[in-house]
Amino acid sequence: MSDRVEKIILESLIGSEEYARIALPFLKDEYFDSRIDKTIFGEISGFFEKHGKLPTKRIIQLALDDNRELKQDEFNEAVAFVKSFDEAESNQDWLIERTEKFCKDKAIYNSIMTAISIMDGRNDKYNQDAIPSLLQDALGICFDKNVGHDFFEKAEDRFEFYHKKEDRIPFDLDMFNKITKGGLPRKTLSCALAGVNVGKSLFLCHHAASVLKQGFNVLYITMEMAEERIAERIDCNLIDVDLDALHGFSKDDYIERINRIENKTNGKLIVKEYPTGGAHVGHFRSLLEELKTKRGFTPDVIYVDYLNICASQKYKAGASYNSYFAVKAIAEELRGLAVEYNVAMVTATQSTRAGVQDGDLEMTDVSESFGTAATMDFMFAIIRTEELDQMGKLMIKQLKSRFNDVGYYRKFVIGIDISKFKLYSVENATDSVSGSGQTDDKPKFDKSKFGAAIKERARSASSIDFT
């Protein structure tokens, strides 16, 4: 049966340009078992790549005449095989569907054989961590019949898209909802940029707690702190107590409070710890599949704490490589996982020492790899100074957004209760740091010591008129 399918594929490749343009990008010579089929496919694909059109039976026969690799009996069989070609299969839908299955079956078989060679130590190209991605790539083969968006023909569809309400994960912080137009969309990667001990994990823990309360499923992956420490912070946030009070509860009192929280939400929270630098998206993908199978758990949001201490699936551990490409690869892999599993992905990254010393952060202050910022859908800086500490606030600065104009509330402040690992909205969140974005295009500053310091830094860093 496979020979018959292979013959239909080969004769359709020279008989239907529509089919060939859909199938050729997915077909590979390794999918054909016989040497003759491989040779004929190679002649067809090579001619099409060079000339942009399909060869005829006569052209293939002439190409076979010039082929010096085939033995005489193979040459005779190949010529007879080409002469036996009928017209292309007329049922295009069936043909494409059958070819897609053919490619997927062959790819799965080849990936399994490659996996066996890896396990046996006979493969120098891949290590064992590559096995899940090889199988995933094979299972993911799908012919995309869409060849682009026709601007005029798709006008009605585009209108419906503009007015479709996007599925988002809301914040419990008013300003974040404003700048993201209602929260984080699925299939996106967002990132908090901050210095050491500024509040990266605190922000991730707070957002995880708020999303859980809204009824969403949350997966928190930590490579910096133990699972229990992350859960402890989220406990303080949800119960609204500091660490000393949390540790002072009796067992019955603690369980009662957790049960009350559980009864108010339909969401679940899983915290998973990996060694620092010891896990990549391959491990995360396996975790997601295991959670789905064993617990029936599918997350809506995934937090990765944090990006720089993940491993890359692409770059082998211990190998010599530039950190720019490695960290950029990690960001791309995380975003790919968000798209694959239809989740909002949130992580954090470290800022450079220079950025921390300046008391202000830009995208250029991302440590190790500027490519991180290029991959993000939404990126913001968390800024903490002595003046802000005195007021119990953090400054948030938008660095990049695919959800809105970053000039819309570029800077604002939020409240922070460090003892409870909690963030909250404040009144006049923009008055002391930037313009409201609605009534005046000039930045506004309060008359406090903090406002004066911000004004002085901004005056020396730019030519903006602050009068």
Side-chain angles (χ1 to χ4, degrees):
M1 180 64 184
S2 62
D3 289 342
R4 178 61 180 160
V5 171
E6 291 173 357
K7 182 185 178 186
I8 292 174
I9 289 173
L10 291 171
E11 63 190 9
S12 296
L13 283 176
I14 65 173
S16 171
E17 185 170 339
E18 179 185 357
Y19 166 74
R21 290 188 181 279
I22 294 173
L24 274 175
F26 298 94
L27 288 166
K28 300 179 181 179
D29 62 353
E30 64 195 55
Y31 295 166
F32 297 91
D33 295 328
S34 80
R35 178 177 166 87
I36 291 173
D37 289 343
K38 288 178 185 289
T39 301
I40 294 173
F41 172 74
E43 297 295 351
I44 295 172
S45 60
F47 185 91
F48 187 82
E49 183 178 346
K50 182 177 180 179
H51 300 284
K53 55 185 179 181
L54 299 178
T56 63
K57 289 167 56 173
R58 179 60 179 160
I59 289 175
I60 296 176
Q61 291 174 31
L62 291 172
L64 292 173
D65 286 337
D66 296 333
N67 191 304
R68 296 292 178 264
E69 296 181 3
L70 292 176
K71 298 177 182 178
Q72 186 61 44
D73 58 338
E74 291 176 326
F75 168 77
N76 294 336
E77 187 178 347
V79 171
F81 185 46
V82 173
K83 286 181 178 180
S84 71
F85 282 0
D86 298 321
E87 293 183 0
E89 170 61 45
S90 59
N91 190 333
Q92 288 281 303
D93 291 338
W94 175 88
L95 180 59
I96 291 170
E97 182 180 326
R98 193 65 185 82
T99 306
E100 181 179 332
K101 183 179 184 304
F102 170 80
C103 291
K104 183 176 290 187
D105 289 347
K106 291 293 184 178
I108 291 173
Y109 175 81
N110 290 345
S111 64
I112 291 173
M113 297 307 294
T114 302
I116 292 173
S117 70
I118 293 172
M119 296 298 294
D120 290 345
R122 294 181 287 104
N123 193 305
D124 297 329
K125 184 178 180 181
Y126 300 106
N127 58 30
Q128 292 187 12
D129 289 339
I131 293 176
S133 63
L134 290 172
L135 292 171
Q136 193 73 27
D137 291 343
L139 291 168
I141 289 178
C142 178
F143 286 15
D144 186 1
K145 300 175 186 177
N146 179 19
V147 292
H149 179 90
D150 189 301
F151 184 80
F152 294 108
E153 287 186 6
K154 297 290 185 179
E156 187 173 335
D157 293 344
R158 203 159 58 247
F159 179 85
E160 295 297 329
F161 172 79
Y162 295 158
H163 292 81
K164 179 181 178 181
K165 186 175 181 181
E166 192 171 11
D167 185 15
R168 291 176 180 257
I169 312 295
F171 290 88
D172 66 341
L173 300 167
D174 294 338
M175 290 302 300
F176 273 96
N177 281 328
K178 284 184 179 181
I179 64 176
T180 59
K181 294 185 177 179
L184 299 178
R186 295 175 186 268
K187 300 184 180 181
T188 59
L189 176 62
S190 302
C191 182
L193 170 67
V196 177
N197 202 32
V198 170
K200 297 187 297 295
S201 295
L202 189 152
F203 180 90
L204 296 179
C205 286
H206 172 85
H207 193 226
S210 73
V211 167
L212 176 65
K213 286 192 292 185
Q214 295 176 62
F216 294 100
N217 285 340
V218 177
L219 173 61
Y220 196 112
I221 296 172
T222 172
M223 280 166 283
E224 187 174 36
M225 289 185 284
E227 295 172 357
E228 294 79 10
R229 291 302 179 193
I230 295 296
E232 180 183 54
R233 292 178 171 216
I234 295 176
D235 264 336
C236 291
N237 184 293
L238 292 172
I239 300 174
D240 197 25
V241 295
D242 59 28
L243 277 174
D244 290 338
L246 179 69
H247 293 167
F249 288 151
S250 67
K251 182 178 180 180
D252 290 341
D253 192 14
Y254 171 74
I255 297 300
E256 180 184 349
R257 289 170 183 262
I258 293 299
N259 288 338
R260 284 206 298 265
I261 295 170
E262 184 179 10
N263 291 333
K264 292 180 181 179
T265 180
N266 294 321
K268 291 183 178 181
L269 168 65
I270 302 291
V271 183
K272 173 62 178 175
E273 175 189 359
Y274 288 100
T276 300
H280 52 60
V281 293
H283 299 98
F284 305 158
R285 185 179 289 108
S286 298
L287 172 64
L288 287 166
E289 293 301 323
E290 195 171 358
L291 287 171
K292 183 178 180 180
T293 302
K294 293 182 177 179
R295 299 193 184 182
F297 175 85
T298 302
D300 298 292
V301 191
I302 299 177
Y303 299 87
V304 178
D305 191 1
Y306 56 97
L307 184 146
N308 300 67
I309 53 177
C310 287
S312 169
Q313 189 175 27
K314 181 178 179 181
Y315 292 94
K316 193 172 181 179
S320 177
Y321 50 75
N322 189 309
S323 64
Y324 172 92
F325 297 105
V327 177
K328 184 175 186 292
I330 294 169
E332 291 169 347
E333 290 161 7
L334 288 177
R335 192 177 188 283
L337 193 70
V339 173
E340 181 180 346
Y341 284 88
N342 192 35
V343 300
M345 183 83 69
V346 187
T347 187
T349 188
Q350 202 87 3
S351 66
T352 61
R353 184 183 304 174
V356 175
Q357 292 173 341
D358 289 344
D360 197 4
L361 293 173
E362 300 288 348
M363 278 203 291
T364 52
D365 294 313
V366 178
S367 67
E368 294 189 275
S369 176
F370 185 73
T372 302
T375 308
M376 296 299 160
D377 294 288
F378 176 52
M379 191 169 192
F380 59 93
I382 302 175
I383 300 170
R384 182 176 173 183
T385 64
E386 291 183 7
E387 295 91 346
L388 285 166
D389 283 347
Q390 291 172 9
M391 296 190 294
K393 296 178 181 178
L394 292 174
M395 184 195 297
I396 304 297
K397 179 180 179 181
Q398 290 193 77
L399 301 177
K400 178 184 178 181
S401 178
R402 291 178 175 147
F403 313 144
N404 209 342
D405 178 8
V406 293
Y408 180 68
Y409 296 113
R410 181 178 289 274
K411 288 184 180 180
F412 56 89
V413 294
I414 56 175
I416 179 173
D417 187 337
I418 296 177
S419 65
K420 298 178 180 179
F421 305 98
K422 209 175 185 75
L423 304 171
Y424 56 90
S425 299
V426 298
E427 292 185 5
N428 304 319
T430 62
D431 285 353
S432 61
V433 292
S434 67
S436 66
Q438 294 175 321
T439 59
D440 190 353
D441 17 359
K442 290 185 178 181
K444 299 178 181 178
F445 296 88
D446 61 24
K447 297 181 180 180
S448 67
K449 180 181 177 182
F450 169 70
I454 293 292
K455 181 176 179 178
E456 181 58 34
R457 276 200 296 270
R459 189 195 304 276
S460 61
S462 70
S463 59
I464 298 175
D465 179 11
F466 293 102
T467 57

